[in-house]
Amino acid sequence: MHCPYCRSADTRVLDSRVADDGGSIRRRRTCPSCNKRFSTVELMQLTVLKRSGATEPFAREKAISGARKACKGRPVTDDQLACLGQAVEDALRAEGWAEVPANEVGLAILGPLRELDEVAYLRFASVYRAFESADDFMAEIEMLRRERELRGRDPQPTG
């Protein structure tokens, strides 16, 4: 870490603390060259391993964007999509992934999306799982019905 004042590469950590959100570490540092103190924040990087083998930083907005397309015309708010994006990121981090395969990101979207809106879930699942026929849709709908019966609840009213 370079000192922001004198650019010396020799800095010393005085104190380290996990930030409130648990996703970063705050460090208090001192520079032995100029004796100034400063703070740094280290963010834990979550990287997505794409099918091509390339990697890129996880972008919550990309997950939200995919879900937003599935929710087009549905009674889903931007706040609900933001919560979905946070839930996806939290789920991936909770799994302990440092480098998460792209297909795991899609799987992490499916659960919260199913709870948010079943129609949007079916749209997303049909693309993500490459449904090839009406039978694929019918099987997924039947699975949703069975889950709903097991939970003992009626479908949520939609607008």
Side-chain angles (χ1 to χ4, degrees):
M1 171 58 57
H2 291 276
C3 172
Y5 302 104
C6 71
R7 304 299 298 155
S8 172
D10 184 28
T11 62
R12 200 176 64 142
V13 175
L14 299 174
D15 181 49
S16 294
R17 296 180 188 203
V18 175
D20 292 333
D21 64 359
S24 60
I25 299 173
R26 182 184 176 276
R27 299 197 194 278
R28 190 72 182 142
R29 298 176 178 267
T30 186
C31 175
S33 298
C34 69
N35 292 322
K36 299 240 180 177
R37 291 184 177 194
F38 59 98
S39 295
T40 59
V41 176
E42 297 175 15
L43 299 175
M44 291 183 276
Q45 183 75 22
L46 184 60
T47 305
V48 177
L49 176 62
K50 301 179 89 170
R51 289 183 194 103
S52 67
T55 60
E56 65 181 40
F58 173 79
R60 187 185 308 172
E61 191 51 48
K62 283 182 84 171
I64 293 171
S65 175
R68 180 175 282 119
K69 290 174 188 169
C71 292
K72 187 173 175 99
R74 302 295 303 155
V76 176
T77 67
D78 285 341
D79 285 344
Q80 289 173 309
L81 287 171
C83 289
L84 179 141
Q86 182 66 52
V88 169
E89 185 172 352
D90 290 347
L92 294 173
R93 287 189 187 280
E95 290 291 321
W97 297 103
E99 193 171 84
V100 58
N103 68 309
E104 291 293 332
V105 176
L107 290 174
I109 292 170
L110 285 171
L113 190 56
R114 180 173 49 216
E115 293 300 315
L116 184 61
D117 187 278
E118 287 181 345
V119 172
Y121 164 79
L122 284 169
R123 289 174 178 170
F124 190 89
S126 71
V127 173
Y128 182 73
R129 293 186 178 150
F131 286 7
E132 294 182 6
S133 68
D135 290 338
D136 293 335
F137 279 95
M138 290 170 51
E140 198 71 21
I141 290 168
E142 186 56 37
M143 185 266 314
L144 288 170
R145 284 184 178 144
R146 281 194 307 272
E147 283 182 2
R148 190 181 312 130
E149 287 171 7
L150 289 173
R151 289 188 304 229
R153 68 170 208 185
D154 292 327
Q156 297 175 348
T158 56

